[in-house]
Amino acid sequence: MSGGYLADATGAGEHQGLAIVLFTLFVSVTLAITAWAGRRRSSSVEFFAGGRLFTPMENGLAIAGDYMSAASFLGISGLIALFGYDGLLYSVGFFVAWLVVLMLVAELVRNCGRYTLADVLSARMRQRPVRIAAGTSSVVVSILYLVAQMVGASSLVGLLLGGHGAARTWTVIGVGALMVFYVSFGGMRATTWIQIVKTVLLIGGTITLTVMVLVRFHGNPNSLLHAAAANSGHGDAFLGPGLKYGGSWTSKLDFISLGLALVLGTAGLPHILSRFYTVPTARSARRSVVWAIGLIGAFYLMTIVLGFGAAAVVGSDTVRSSNEAGNTAVPLLAEILGGGAGTTGGTVLFAVVGAVAFATILAVVAGITLASSASVAHDLYATLRRRATADAAKEEGEMEEDEVRVARFAAVGIGAAAIGISLFAQDQNIAFLVGLAFAVAASANLPGLLFSLFWRRFTTRGAVWAIYGGLVPALVLVILSPVFSGRPDALFPGVDFHLFPLENPGLVSIPLGFLAGWLGTVLSPEEADAGKYAETEVRSLTGAGAA
């Protein structure tokens, strides 16, 4: 089946009509959830943490929903369909990262913080410089992650409407508008329940497709892999390492760099860390992660089947002709598994998968936007506005009301920034874009977080240097990499100013973040406050005094 025929088929009115009905149904449900949540009193605890009333299972479903993004469902499967074994790095890296979260940060972050990452980093430091640095980093990481989700929405609608450019642009704008609405009116409670609904839909849809792929090959994974290799255009090389990351020394270093970013980046993602504050205790936070790991592990195993299934059933060349980055592999697979283009089963399954993917995108962008707007309000705005006053209690009450108001306005600004960048990145693979966000998170947020929790001598200067020492190099290296210029698929293909050979900066920027934190501490004129460290250590390990 040719790529042109598929593109024409997926642009047919029957696809559009059914998919639009399903999109509208999900959006209506999420708007109803938002309206219900918006009726509650908008205190800061309610808006930023959902009142801390969610159970471990509910929060585990929401964490899984936050993590199983469009990059996972569309991007990873697409990379496996195009590059085979090398695409597996994303599935393995995204899953293994949760062991770092479970063992090192989940309980400790819940005990030490209140709403955001900056709460933990500033627990024993001078508040103003650390909060400003951490808030800035959180917003940057969140916007990069948002761009990936919006590009996924753009690719999905482009496939549905036959690659119509105006429709893709308006889809990005529409998703941005919806995420602003969810956050502004529903806060954490609405965002969490949207995530739970989305997780159930996504797991259900993924199980269905996985079973259909395995049934097509009579439950024989060996037959699936051989068929994938045969239809990939690469033969047996498709099943071995090196197709994407083994051609040169730079691609091999990129492989290592990406692996580091994926494994270490999750523990520095603001929207994931903020989830630990929606449960009442640290024990609940840890149990939430256990629930999330089970769901996420099962999901990533299924994305491997879907990726190889797309290569075997659709063909790598057809996937590439539909979308150069491979983002449309799963919808095309669903269409053929349902009976093919033009059939009722193919139309229905394609539309259902498209609706599930769209639901995934809407839910994840809501969670990311809430986390980033919380950083703007709770870390940047509140820190800059706070002043010494005799009536501290009164000021604290006023500040909480102001933080909620500012967070709603911040959601608009963050949404606008993400929309603008997304329009330039529509031809990039969304799993790759998320990899960049993970690299920045691992470079800027993780060093300061680990030093704050585990290094007694760590100082305020060390915390600030760790954040900026990872954030600035990561961003500069991305701008100077082939992602931005020098290649036909770069963001700016008409120019060439790339000086850094790797696509992912993690191999350089992550060690720089840790090095900067160490240097800032040893060169700091101030000594670490031993009393505050002891207090933080007791609080992090026991939960005594936790919010």
Side-chain angles (χ1 to χ4, degrees):
M1 184 177 293
S2 69
Y5 177 66
L6 270 174
D8 291 339
T10 55
E14 56 188 4
H15 274 164
Q16 297 179 32
L18 183 57
I20 288 172
V21 168
L22 293 173
F23 290 170
T24 304
L25 179 62
F26 179 79
V27 170
S28 299
V29 170
T30 57
L31 291 177
I33 292 173
T34 303
W36 163 75
R39 296 173 62 184
R40 304 177 70 91
R41 185 174 65 89
S42 291
S43 66
S44 59
V45 174
E46 178 67 34
F47 187 85
F48 294 130
R52 309 194 202 282
L53 299 175
F54 291 101
T55 66
M57 185 184 73
E58 291 169 346
N59 197 43
L61 284 167
I63 290 173
D66 253 333
Y67 200 67
M68 297 184 305
S69 64
S72 304
F73 189 51
L74 301 178
I76 292 177
S77 300
L79 284 173
I80 294 174
L82 295 182
F83 302 107
Y85 182 92
D86 280 8
L88 288 175
L89 173 64
Y90 284 87
S91 289
V92 174
F94 280 141
F95 178 58
V96 171
W98 278 98
L99 299 179
V100 178
V101 176
L102 177 65
M103 303 305 293
L104 292 181
V105 302
E107 289 189 41
L108 307 184
V109 165
R110 172 61 188 86
N111 285 336
C112 288
R114 189 179 181 193
Y115 302 133
T116 65
L117 171 66
D119 291 336
V120 183
L121 293 175
S122 63
R124 60 189 184 95
M125 312 293 176
R126 286 185 284 114
Q127 296 278 313
R128 187 182 180 90
V130 175
R131 283 191 177 277
I132 291 174
T136 302
S137 173
S138 295
V139 171
V140 171
V141 172
S142 297
I143 290 176
L144 287 173
Y145 211 106
L146 281 172
V147 168
Q149 309 311 311
M150 293 185 173
V151 169
S154 171
S155 299
L156 192 64
V157 171
L159 176 65
L160 176 67
L161 301 180
H164 195 283
R168 296 179 66 176
T169 299
W170 281 107
T171 298
V172 170
I173 295 172
V175 170
L178 281 170
M179 75 183 187
V180 169
F181 179 82
Y182 294 148
V183 172
S184 299
F185 291 93
M188 180 59 83
R189 185 173 296 274
T191 301
T192 300
W193 281 109
I194 291 170
Q195 292 286 14
I196 291 171
V197 172
K198 164 258 174 136
T199 300
V200 173
L201 291 175
L202 181 60
I203 292 292
T206 307
I207 290 174
T208 301
L209 287 180
T210 301
V211 169
M212 293 180 75
V213 169
L214 293 176
V215 167
R216 190 180 184 96
F217 292 93
H218 309 291
N220 188 341
N222 195 46
S223 297
L224 168 62
L225 294 176
H226 281 297
N231 288 334
S232 68
H234 299 286
D236 290 340
F238 189 72
L239 303 179
L243 199 59
K244 180 175 174 61
Y245 294 110
S248 64
W249 69 270
T250 54
S251 64
K252 293 175 182 177
L253 289 177
D254 246 328
F255 183 90
I256 299 172
S257 186
L258 178 63
L260 278 175
L262 296 183
V263 171
L264 299 178
T266 300
L269 291 176
H271 67 289
I272 297 296
L273 296 177
S274 66
R275 281 277 160 213
F276 300 138
Y277 302 128
T278 64
V279 289
T281 64
R283 183 169 181 268
S284 298
R286 188 177 183 85
R287 290 173 61 196
S288 297
V289 174
V290 173
W291 272 97
I293 285 177
L295 292 166
I296 292 167
F299 173 77
Y300 281 119
L301 284 174
M302 292 188 286
T303 61
I304 296 172
V305 176
L306 297 184
F308 283 112
V313 176
V314 181
S316 298
D317 289 340
T318 301
V319 171
R320 189 177 287 106
S321 65
S322 171
N323 181 274
E324 189 69 27
N327 296 329
T328 56
V330 173
L332 292 176
L333 173 65
E335 182 179 54
I336 294 179
L337 291 175
T343 66
T344 301
T347 299
V348 170
L349 198 55
F350 175 91
V352 168
V353 168
V356 169
F358 198 71
T360 295
I361 292 163
L362 286 179
V364 172
V365 297
I368 301 167
T369 305
L370 179 61
S372 53
S373 61
S375 290
V376 171
H378 184 63
D379 301 329
L380 300 178
Y381 169 78
T383 299
L384 294 172
R385 184 177 181 271
R386 190 172 281 112
R387 60 192 182 278
T389 175
D391 196 350
K394 180 180 179 181
E395 186 192 7
E396 188 66 28
E398 293 175 352
M399 285 296 298
E400 287 199 2
E401 294 179 6
D402 283 349
E403 284 180 20
V404 173
R405 189 181 309 113
V406 170
R408 288 173 168 149
F409 284 111
V412 178
I414 290 164
I419 288 170
I421 299 173
S422 300
L423 297 178
F424 286 99
Q426 292 190 30
D427 295 326
Q428 297 288 325
N429 180 276
I430 48 183
F432 167 72
L433 290 172
V434 165
L436 294 181
F438 272 60
V440 177
S443 304
N445 294 340
L446 185 63
L449 178 61
L450 294 183
F451 282 151
S452 293
L453 292 172
F454 300 111
W455 190 17
R456 184 183 302 272
R457 290 184 55 198
F458 197 47
T459 63
T460 298
R461 177 181 287 185
V464 174
W465 282 29
I467 295 169
Y468 290 128
L471 177 65
V472 175
L475 294 178
V476 170
L477 292 177
V478 169
I479 293 171
L480 297 179
S481 75
V483 175
F484 258 68
S485 68
R487 295 190 318 199
D489 59 345
L491 292 180
F492 301 99
V495 294
D496 185 0
F497 51 84
H498 92 276
L499 300 174
F500 183 65
L502 304 183
E503 293 182 357
N504 192 292
L507 186 62
V508 175
S509 59
I510 295 173
L512 284 178
F514 281 98
L515 178 62
W518 176 79
L519 277 176
T521 298
V522 298
L523 298 177
S524 176
E526 63 178 335
E527 293 290 331
D529 189 323
K532 283 189 175 181
Y533 175 78
E535 180 183 339
T536 302
E537 185 177 36
V538 170
R539 179 175 170 180
S540 67
L541 295 175
T542 67

